[in-house]
């Protein structure tokens, strides 16, 4: 039996080791949605999903105090992605009509969010792994978490 992926996402990031800040410098999406009914709306839906996934990977974080009280209960504190947190996307489709329905269409609802979170996290881990040997980091990969991981490696190397 032949299995084929319906899409892929690739993120290229830069990590500032002094601040832990991640910059997404390139982001490419190639997906197969079968017959695209409305290509413009499809692109917008994918872009929105990618924004959601980037937010999950780098920004969105529920924080509780020592007593269990949620302290990131507002959208100001939770850190939803904004336009300046997102890169320009390179988006293209390589559509092959579906053989399981008469319209030849395939789903697109979660394509952006499913591919973006692991693409960004894998790019961050690749950068940190190459520079510092870091192979794991909890999401979201906030500047604070990245900075702590780098300084921890540096501290252990100095011992």
């Amino acid at each position: 039996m032949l299995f084929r992926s319906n899409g892929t996402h690739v993120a290229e990031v830069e990590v500032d080791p002094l601040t832990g800040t991640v910059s997404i410098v390139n982001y490419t999406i190639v997906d197969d949605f079968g017959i695209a009914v409305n290509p413009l709306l499809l692109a917008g839906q994918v872009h929105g999903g990618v924004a959601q996934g980037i937010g999950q990977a780098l920004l969105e974080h529920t924080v509780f105090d020592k007593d269990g009280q949620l302290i990131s209960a507002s959208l100001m504190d939770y850190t939803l992605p904004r336009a300046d947190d997102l890169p320009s996307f390179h988006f293209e489709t390589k559509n092959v009509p579906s053989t399981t329905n008469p319209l030849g269409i395939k789903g697109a609802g979660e394509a952006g969010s499913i591919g973006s979170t692991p693409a960004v996290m894998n790019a961050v881990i690749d950068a940190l792994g190459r520079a510092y040997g870091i192979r794991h980091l909890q999401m979201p990969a906030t500047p604070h978490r990245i900075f702590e991981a780098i300084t921890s490696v540096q501290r252990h190397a100095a011992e």
Side-chain angles (χ1 to χ4, degrees):
M1 176 175 257
L2 178 65
F3 293 98
R4 181 171 43 98
S5 170
N6 282 344
T8 192
H9 293 231
V10 177
E12 179 184 356
V13 303
E14 291 179 351
V15 178
D16 182 341
L18 300 178
T19 65
T21 303
V22 174
S23 299
I24 303 172
V25 295
N26 284 309
Y27 196 95
T28 300
I29 309 154
V30 180
D31 273 313
D32 172 8
F33 298 110
I35 301 298
V37 176
N38 185 326
L40 185 60
L41 289 178
L42 174 65
Q45 185 172 2
V46 171
H47 286 197
V50 169
Q52 181 182 4
I54 289 171
Q56 181 180 354
L58 299 178
L59 303 167
E60 299 176 31
H61 190 49
T62 51
V63 179
F64 297 89
D65 69 12
K66 62 180 176 52
D67 298 320
Q69 176 66 39
L70 180 64
I71 58 175
S72 58
S74 76
L75 293 179
M76 292 295 293
D77 301 321
Y78 182 71
T79 320
L80 288 173
R82 301 174 311 185
D84 64 342
D85 296 315
L86 305 172
S88 294
F89 305 111
H90 173 75
F91 173 65
E92 63 182 86
T93 58
K94 299 292 185 188
N95 293 332
V96 176
S98 173
T99 59
T100 61
N101 68 73
L103 296 177
I105 60 176
K106 299 175 185 173
E110 296 176 348
S113 60
I114 287 174
S116 56
T117 306
V120 170
M121 284 304 296
N122 285 335
V124 170
I125 293 299
D126 182 63
L128 294 174
R130 290 172 186 267
Y132 302 100
I134 297 169
R135 295 282 171 225
H136 178 75
L137 192 68
Q138 283 292 116
M139 284 193 308
T142 61
H144 180 73
R145 282 190 176 154
I146 291 171
F147 182 77
E148 280 186 336
I150 292 170
T151 56
S152 175
V153 167
Q154 291 172 335
R155 190 171 38 252
H156 284 82
E159 293 175 352

